[in-house]
Amino acid sequence: MSGALRFGTSGIPRSSARPGTVHGIRRARELGLDHLEMAWVNGVRMSDESADAIAAAAREHDLTLTAHAPYYVNLCGVPEIVERSRARLEEAGRLGARCGAQSFCFHAGFYGALDGAAASRRVKTELRRVTRALRRKRHSIDVRAELTGKASQVGSLEEVLDWSASVPGVAPCVDFSHRYARDVGQHNRYEDFAATLAAIESRLGRAALDRLHVHISGIQFGPKGERRHEPLRETRFRWKELLRALKDLRVGGWVVSESPCMEDDALLLQKTYQRMR
Ligand SMILES: [Zn+2]
């Protein structure tokens, strides 16, 4: 997959004539996109039959799929919350695999009263359980811990790489806009993006760059990090330099646009990337 990045929206394109993922897949293909992330951020309720129909539509239209697990996940919470969070992740993994998705991402949770090391250890323990459960049931899908946008959320680059290196089946979902917002405006130049990619390669090997799950959006931040996503054309986030770094380092995988402009910005990313030599 090296050097082949596939671009798509988070959720079905706004211009889809009818709701539902199957129609969204068709519309994405009409637009010339080749990927779709199923945005299950508010929960996922789907029959196995619907999942099978999605898998068939994605195959028919040569669209790759990923999923975003519900936001209501906190692997550092009290035991009942952790248990429910694990169940949500396992269900996202099961359904995602049934839809033919190759990867699903999630936000691991909040530090709360824990220090960084303790929170990170807890996440690791829970991710071992999640990946073991998915393996046991033969659901084949990447479990992708997302780089998160707020200082209160577990999921710095270092943490995400540590979980990925220590837990088989876990890999990073690298949200470069979150990295910029989390560190209040840092990591916003070509050299920074290249350094992030180099850190991934040195920790996880070249294969991690050949198959990377990436999120990009315009973003606003405040002192605590991420505030809101915004259109690429309005943002100070230097997404063109990021695309240049992805191109130069021959990164492969999926780029999901999480911009409020949906397909317009997914296409803007795709076209800009394709025009680069
Ligand atoms: Zn996310």
Side-chain angles (χ1 to χ4, degrees), residues 164-189:
S164 303
S166 342
V167 184
V170 173
C173 172
V174 185
D175 189 318
F176 286 92
S177 310
H178 278 170
R179 179 153 164 78
Y180 158 75
R182 182 183 180 95
D183 290 334
V184 291
Q186 293 184 64
H187 319 295
N188 197 25
R189 298 168 311 159

